[in-house]
Amino acid sequence: MVASPDNNADGRTEEQKAIDEWLPITSSRNAKWWYSAFHNVTAMVGAGVLGLPYAMSELGWGPGVTVMVVSWVITLYTLWQMVEMHEMVPGKRFDRYHELGQHVFGNKLGLWIVVPQQLVVEVGLDIVYMVTGGKSFQKIHDLVCKDNCKDIKLTYYIMIFASVHFVLSHLPNFNAISGVSLVAAIMSLSYCTIAWGASIDKGVQPDVEYEYRAENAGEGVFNFFSGLGEVAFAYAGHNVVLEIQATIPSTPEKPSKGPMWKGVLVAYIIVALCYFPVAIIGYWIFGNSVSDNILISLEKPTWLIVLANAFVVIHIIGSYQLYAIPVFDMLETYLIKKLRFKPTWYLRFITRNLYVAFTMFVGIIFPFFGGLLGFFGGFAFAPTTYFLPCIMWLSIYKPKRWGLSWTTNWICIIVGVMLTVLAPIGGLRTIIMQAKDYKFFS
């Protein structure tokens, strides 16, 4: 039997192939292993790292260091699982997190389990990045211009930050933003180094205290939950890992998991070099008086803190794009494959500008930085990062009960479920407390 001329070896029609070559995730597959490294650093080291000393102040020394180390180990393990599962079916690649979910849980259930959580993480992160970008701009202005300067609302700074994304969002795919991502990864290592280096230079504060910042036991428990969420928030790269791996070429002889895993390992070493010094040194220097953004606690030397905040702005420009591209892919896939829109430049122009505008307005209305970290960190970051890959692994490979693989995965699942349940409680309370004194569009 002769195949019809419009069919390819993989069963796709010419039309389907053309659509896949237009969509952001599947349009380019020529990435090198080091693309994976700096994409993963940019995805992982974001606004969350600046909140880690604050999370330590809510968790305390022992629990804080333990949660940090356990999170690093568990999330590296679950990242390895996702890299392995990308091509576990011969001849097929799970280019998107929800495609892996559909393979494991079924077409409908897989979509409903993965897509809402992934969207909460990616859209939530982009909203928080809008707030962080605006606050960093504001901090630069306040440090540079101290005398006879006009007080500018945070709203305007967020709008300035958003203006960059109305341009960058039209880059078509991951490989097109690889330069942005590389610069962002360098910036993340730079501002983290400045954060802990300037902290050491400042020296341990004379009135430093390491007791829990709470006034009573109840408040301490809520703060502890919020701290868990802030740590979970810092490990969010899993939500784009399959999409990053989709950009790496793959053959049966040289599957994509080899270069992808090499990139992930390099990225995780850099993550450790960023996270642990910032969290531990920041808390050691400032104790429970540390701000929810370590750079706000650091006032001098002025030029260095201005530089660090500028690095933060540049880095989260890259991070925003990295988390926006899978959202663009979902929107464009739905519009083209379900609603039968034609894949045109103006469809992309309208869709992406509307998304940037949406994240900007939500960021303007709800700029509760610390509370947002805690709430989103537990609500959706923990499932997609800590235990959903483990559930998928158990469902597919069915390891021997009480064996090493089975036990390891269940430990990760239990830790992840506890984070998912407890962290949003503390984060939501923080948002409510901060919202009491908040005026809209201030």
Side-chain angles (χ1 to χ4, degrees), residues 180-222:
V180 177
S181 191
L182 172 60
V183 172
I186 294 167
M187 292 298 105
S188 63
L189 193 57
S190 301
Y191 72 70
C192 287
T193 305
I194 289 173
W196 63 259
S199 295
I200 289 176
D201 183 66
K202 198 174 182 77
V204 178
Q205 297 304 286
D207 55 347
V208 69
E209 291 181 6
Y210 301 113
E211 290 82 17
Y212 289 108
R213 59 169 70 236
E215 293 177 9
N216 53 62
E219 188 181 340
V221 171
F222 279 120

Short mmCIF file of all heavy atoms in Angstrom, two decimals, residues 180-222:
data_model
loop_
_atom_site.label_atom_id
_atom_site.label_comp_id
_atom_site.label_asym_id
_atom_site.label_seq_id
_atom_site.Cartn_x
_atom_site.Cartn_y
_atom_site.Cartn_z
N VAL A 180 18.97 36.18 24.79
CA VAL A 180 18.35 36.83 25.96
C VAL A 180 18.53 35.96 27.19
O VAL A 180 18.87 36.43 28.28
CB VAL A 180 16.85 37.09 25.70
CG1 VAL A 180 16.17 37.69 26.93
CG2 VAL A 180 16.64 37.99 24.49
N SER A 181 18.33 34.65 26.99
CA SER A 181 18.42 33.69 28.10
C SER A 181 19.85 33.57 28.63
O SER A 181 20.06 33.49 29.85
CB SER A 181 17.91 32.33 27.63
OG SER A 181 17.73 31.45 28.71
N LEU A 182 20.84 33.60 27.74
CA LEU A 182 22.24 33.52 28.16
C LEU A 182 22.61 34.74 29.00
O LEU A 182 23.20 34.60 30.08
CB LEU A 182 23.15 33.44 26.93
CG LEU A 182 24.66 33.54 27.20
CD1 LEU A 182 25.13 32.42 28.12
CD2 LEU A 182 25.45 33.52 25.90
N VAL A 183 22.24 35.91 28.53
CA VAL A 183 22.51 37.14 29.29
C VAL A 183 21.81 37.08 30.65
O VAL A 183 22.38 37.43 31.68
CB VAL A 183 22.05 38.39 28.50
CG1 VAL A 183 22.15 39.65 29.36
CG2 VAL A 183 22.89 38.55 27.23
N ALA A 184 20.56 36.58 30.65
CA ALA A 184 19.78 36.48 31.89
C ALA A 184 20.45 35.53 32.88
O ALA A 184 20.51 35.82 34.09
CB ALA A 184 18.37 35.99 31.58
N ALA A 185 20.99 34.41 32.39
CA ALA A 185 21.66 33.45 33.27
C ALA A 185 22.91 34.07 33.89
O ALA A 185 23.18 33.89 35.09
CB ALA A 185 22.03 32.19 32.48
N ILE A 186 23.68 34.82 33.10
CA ILE A 186 24.88 35.50 33.62
C ILE A 186 24.47 36.54 34.67
O ILE A 186 25.10 36.67 35.72
CB ILE A 186 25.66 36.17 32.47
CG1 ILE A 186 26.23 35.11 31.53
CG2 ILE A 186 26.78 37.06 33.02
CD1 ILE A 186 26.76 35.66 30.21
N MET A 187 23.39 37.26 34.40
CA MET A 187 22.89 38.27 35.34
C MET A 187 22.49 37.64 36.68
O MET A 187 22.75 38.20 37.75
CB MET A 187 21.68 39.01 34.75
CG MET A 187 21.97 39.89 33.55
SD MET A 187 23.10 41.26 33.90
CE MET A 187 24.59 40.67 33.12
N SER A 188 21.85 36.46 36.61
CA SER A 188 21.38 35.82 37.84
C SER A 188 22.55 35.46 38.75
O SER A 188 22.52 35.72 39.95
CB SER A 188 20.54 34.58 37.53
OG SER A 188 21.32 33.61 36.87
N LEU A 189 23.60 34.89 38.15
CA LEU A 189 24.79 34.56 38.94
C LEU A 189 25.45 35.83 39.49
O LEU A 189 25.91 35.87 40.63
CB LEU A 189 25.79 33.78 38.06
CG LEU A 189 26.95 33.09 38.77
CD1 LEU A 189 26.47 32.12 39.83
CD2 LEU A 189 27.83 32.37 37.76
N SER A 190 25.41 36.90 38.69
CA SER A 190 26.02 38.18 39.09
C SER A 190 25.30 38.81 40.28
O SER A 190 25.92 39.18 41.27
CB SER A 190 26.04 39.15 37.91
OG SER A 190 26.74 38.61 36.82
N TYR A 191 23.95 38.93 40.18
CA TYR A 191 23.26 39.62 41.28
C TYR A 191 23.20 38.77 42.54
O TYR A 191 23.16 39.30 43.65
CB TYR A 191 21.89 40.16 40.86
CG TYR A 191 20.77 39.19 40.63
CD1 TYR A 191 20.17 38.49 41.68
CD2 TYR A 191 20.23 39.02 39.36
CE1 TYR A 191 19.12 37.62 41.47
CE2 TYR A 191 19.17 38.17 39.13
CZ TYR A 191 18.61 37.46 40.19
OH TYR A 191 17.56 36.61 39.97
N CYS A 192 23.23 37.44 42.38
CA CYS A 192 23.28 36.58 43.57
C CYS A 192 24.62 36.76 44.28
O CYS A 192 24.67 36.85 45.51
CB CYS A 192 23.09 35.11 43.19
SG CYS A 192 21.40 34.69 42.72
N THR A 193 25.69 36.84 43.50
CA THR A 193 27.02 37.06 44.08
C THR A 193 27.10 38.42 44.78
O THR A 193 27.65 38.54 45.88
CB THR A 193 28.11 36.97 42.98
OG1 THR A 193 27.98 35.72 42.30
CG2 THR A 193 29.50 37.09 43.57
N ILE A 194 26.52 39.44 44.14
CA ILE A 194 26.48 40.77 44.77
C ILE A 194 25.67 40.71 46.06
O ILE A 194 26.07 41.30 47.08
CB ILE A 194 25.86 41.81 43.80
CG1 ILE A 194 26.84 42.11 42.65
CG2 ILE A 194 25.53 43.11 44.54
CD1 ILE A 194 26.26 42.99 41.55
N ALA A 195 24.54 39.99 46.05
CA ALA A 195 23.66 39.93 47.22
C ALA A 195 24.38 39.36 48.43
O ALA A 195 24.36 39.95 49.52
CB ALA A 195 22.41 39.11 46.91
N TRP A 196 25.07 38.20 48.25
CA TRP A 196 25.74 37.63 49.42
C TRP A 196 27.08 38.31 49.72
O TRP A 196 27.49 38.44 50.87
CB TRP A 196 25.88 36.11 49.34
CG TRP A 196 26.70 35.52 48.23
CD1 TRP A 196 26.25 34.96 47.07
CD2 TRP A 196 28.13 35.37 48.19
NE1 TRP A 196 27.29 34.50 46.31
CE2 TRP A 196 28.47 34.72 46.98
CE3 TRP A 196 29.17 35.71 49.07
CZ2 TRP A 196 29.78 34.42 46.61
CZ3 TRP A 196 30.47 35.41 48.70
CH2 TRP A 196 30.78 34.78 47.49
N GLY A 197 27.75 38.80 48.64
CA GLY A 197 29.02 39.51 48.84
C GLY A 197 28.82 40.82 49.59
O GLY A 197 29.56 41.14 50.54
N ALA A 198 27.81 41.59 49.19
CA ALA A 198 27.52 42.87 49.86
C ALA A 198 27.03 42.63 51.29
O ALA A 198 27.28 43.45 52.18
CB ALA A 198 26.47 43.65 49.07
N SER A 199 26.36 41.51 51.50
CA SER A 199 25.90 41.16 52.86
C SER A 199 27.09 40.91 53.79
O SER A 199 27.14 41.41 54.91
CB SER A 199 24.99 39.92 52.83
OG SER A 199 23.80 40.18 52.12
N ILE A 200 28.07 40.15 53.29
CA ILE A 200 29.28 39.89 54.08
C ILE A 200 30.01 41.20 54.37
O ILE A 200 30.49 41.44 55.49
CB ILE A 200 30.21 38.89 53.35
CG1 ILE A 200 29.59 37.49 53.36
CG2 ILE A 200 31.60 38.87 53.99
CD1 ILE A 200 30.37 36.45 52.59
N ASP A 201 30.10 42.05 53.35
CA ASP A 201 30.77 43.34 53.50
C ASP A 201 30.08 44.20 54.56
O ASP A 201 30.73 44.92 55.31
CB ASP A 201 30.80 44.08 52.16
CG ASP A 201 31.56 45.38 52.23
OD1 ASP A 201 32.78 45.34 52.46
OD2 ASP A 201 30.93 46.45 52.08
N LYS A 202 28.76 44.10 54.60
CA LYS A 202 27.99 44.89 55.58
C LYS A 202 28.23 44.40 56.99
O LYS A 202 28.23 45.16 57.95
CB LYS A 202 26.50 44.79 55.23
CG LYS A 202 25.62 45.87 55.86
CD LYS A 202 24.20 45.77 55.32
CE LYS A 202 23.31 46.85 55.89
NZ LYS A 202 23.51 48.18 55.27
N GLY A 203 28.45 43.08 57.13
CA GLY A 203 28.72 42.50 58.45
C GLY A 203 27.45 42.20 59.21
O GLY A 203 26.38 42.75 58.94
N VAL A 204 27.58 41.29 60.16
CA VAL A 204 26.42 40.92 60.98
C VAL A 204 25.90 42.15 61.72
O VAL A 204 26.66 42.87 62.36
CB VAL A 204 26.80 39.81 61.99
CG1 VAL A 204 25.61 39.46 62.87
CG2 VAL A 204 27.30 38.57 61.27
N GLN A 205 24.60 42.38 61.61
CA GLN A 205 24.00 43.57 62.19
C GLN A 205 24.05 43.53 63.72
O GLN A 205 23.87 42.46 64.32
CB GLN A 205 22.55 43.72 61.71
CG GLN A 205 22.43 43.92 60.20
CD GLN A 205 23.23 45.11 59.70
OE1 GLN A 205 22.85 46.24 59.91
NE2 GLN A 205 24.37 44.84 59.06
N PRO A 206 24.28 44.66 64.37
CA PRO A 206 24.44 44.66 65.84
C PRO A 206 23.21 44.16 66.59
O PRO A 206 23.33 43.57 67.66
CB PRO A 206 24.72 46.14 66.16
CG PRO A 206 24.29 46.91 64.94
CD PRO A 206 24.47 45.99 63.78
N ASP A 207 22.03 44.41 66.04
CA ASP A 207 20.81 44.00 66.74
C ASP A 207 20.19 42.75 66.12
O ASP A 207 19.00 42.50 66.21
CB ASP A 207 19.77 45.14 66.71
CG ASP A 207 19.50 45.60 65.27
OD1 ASP A 207 20.27 45.22 64.37
OD2 ASP A 207 18.53 46.35 65.07
N VAL A 208 21.04 41.92 65.48
CA VAL A 208 20.52 40.75 64.77
C VAL A 208 19.87 39.75 65.73
O VAL A 208 20.35 39.53 66.84
CB VAL A 208 21.65 40.07 63.95
CG1 VAL A 208 22.68 39.42 64.85
CG2 VAL A 208 21.07 39.05 62.97
N GLU A 209 18.74 39.18 65.29
CA GLU A 209 18.03 38.16 66.07
C GLU A 209 17.65 37.03 65.15
O GLU A 209 17.22 37.25 64.01
CB GLU A 209 16.76 38.76 66.72
CG GLU A 209 17.05 39.76 67.82
CD GLU A 209 15.76 40.31 68.44
OE1 GLU A 209 14.68 39.80 68.08
OE2 GLU A 209 15.86 41.23 69.26
N TYR A 210 17.76 35.81 65.66
CA TYR A 210 17.42 34.64 64.85
C TYR A 210 16.18 33.90 65.37
O TYR A 210 15.81 32.85 64.86
CB TYR A 210 18.60 33.66 64.80
CG TYR A 210 19.85 34.28 64.21
CD1 TYR A 210 20.98 34.50 65.00
CD2 TYR A 210 19.90 34.68 62.87
CE1 TYR A 210 22.13 35.08 64.47
CE2 TYR A 210 21.04 35.26 62.34
CZ TYR A 210 22.15 35.46 63.14
OH TYR A 210 23.28 36.04 62.61
N GLU A 211 15.53 34.49 66.38
CA GLU A 211 14.28 33.89 66.84
C GLU A 211 13.22 34.10 65.76
O GLU A 211 13.34 34.96 64.90
CB GLU A 211 13.79 34.53 68.14
CG GLU A 211 14.64 34.22 69.35
CD GLU A 211 15.86 35.11 69.44
OE1 GLU A 211 15.87 36.16 68.77
OE2 GLU A 211 16.82 34.74 70.14
N TYR A 212 12.16 33.28 65.83
CA TYR A 212 11.09 33.43 64.85
C TYR A 212 10.48 34.83 64.94
O TYR A 212 10.27 35.36 66.02
CB TYR A 212 10.01 32.36 65.06
CG TYR A 212 10.48 30.98 64.69
CD1 TYR A 212 10.74 30.00 65.67
CD2 TYR A 212 10.69 30.65 63.35
CE1 TYR A 212 11.19 28.74 65.31
CE2 TYR A 212 11.14 29.38 62.99
CZ TYR A 212 11.39 28.43 63.97
OH TYR A 212 11.84 27.19 63.62
N ARG A 213 10.18 35.41 63.76
CA ARG A 213 9.70 36.79 63.70
C ARG A 213 8.27 36.93 64.22
O ARG A 213 7.77 38.03 64.36
CB ARG A 213 9.80 37.33 62.27
CG ARG A 213 9.01 36.55 61.25
CD ARG A 213 8.91 37.27 59.91
NE ARG A 213 10.19 37.32 59.21
CZ ARG A 213 10.74 38.46 58.82
NH1 ARG A 213 10.14 39.61 59.05
NH2 ARG A 213 11.90 38.45 58.18
N ALA A 214 7.60 35.83 64.51
CA ALA A 214 6.21 35.88 64.93
C ALA A 214 6.05 36.39 66.36
O ALA A 214 6.94 36.23 67.20
CB ALA A 214 5.59 34.50 64.83
N GLU A 215 4.89 37.02 66.62
CA GLU A 215 4.60 37.52 67.97
C GLU A 215 3.96 36.45 68.85
O GLU A 215 3.98 36.53 70.06
CB GLU A 215 3.66 38.73 67.89
CG GLU A 215 4.33 39.95 67.24
CD GLU A 215 3.38 41.12 67.10
OE1 GLU A 215 2.26 41.04 67.66
OE2 GLU A 215 3.74 42.10 66.43
N ASN A 216 3.37 35.44 68.21
CA ASN A 216 2.77 34.33 68.97
C ASN A 216 2.92 33.04 68.17
O ASN A 216 3.33 33.04 67.01
CB ASN A 216 1.28 34.61 69.27
CG ASN A 216 0.49 34.94 68.01
OD1 ASN A 216 0.39 34.12 67.11
ND2 ASN A 216 -0.06 36.15 67.95
N ALA A 217 2.57 31.92 68.82
CA ALA A 217 2.76 30.59 68.20
C ALA A 217 1.95 30.44 66.92
O ALA A 217 2.44 29.89 65.92
CB ALA A 217 2.39 29.50 69.20
N GLY A 218 0.72 30.93 66.92
CA GLY A 218 -0.15 30.81 65.73
C GLY A 218 0.45 31.51 64.53
O GLY A 218 0.50 30.95 63.43
N GLU A 219 0.94 32.73 64.76
CA GLU A 219 1.55 33.50 63.67
C GLU A 219 2.81 32.80 63.18
O GLU A 219 3.10 32.78 61.97
CB GLU A 219 1.89 34.91 64.15
CG GLU A 219 2.34 35.84 63.04
CD GLU A 219 2.69 37.23 63.54
OE1 GLU A 219 2.25 37.61 64.66
OE2 GLU A 219 3.43 37.93 62.83
N GLY A 220 3.56 32.20 64.13
CA GLY A 220 4.78 31.47 63.76
C GLY A 220 4.50 30.30 62.84
O GLY A 220 5.24 30.05 61.89
N VAL A 221 3.41 29.59 63.11
CA VAL A 221 3.02 28.43 62.27
C VAL A 221 2.67 28.91 60.86
O VAL A 221 3.11 28.33 59.86
CB VAL A 221 1.83 27.68 62.91
CG1 VAL A 221 1.27 26.63 61.94
CG2 VAL A 221 2.27 27.00 64.21
N PHE A 222 1.87 29.98 60.78
CA PHE A 222 1.50 30.52 59.46
C PHE A 222 2.74 30.98 58.68
O PHE A 222 2.84 30.74 57.48
CB PHE A 222 0.52 31.70 59.62
CG PHE A 222 -0.90 31.27 59.85
CD1 PHE A 222 -1.57 31.64 61.02
CD2 PHE A 222 -1.57 30.51 58.91
CE1 PHE A 222 -2.89 31.25 61.24
CE2 PHE A 222 -2.89 30.12 59.12
CZ PHE A 222 -3.55 30.48 60.29
#
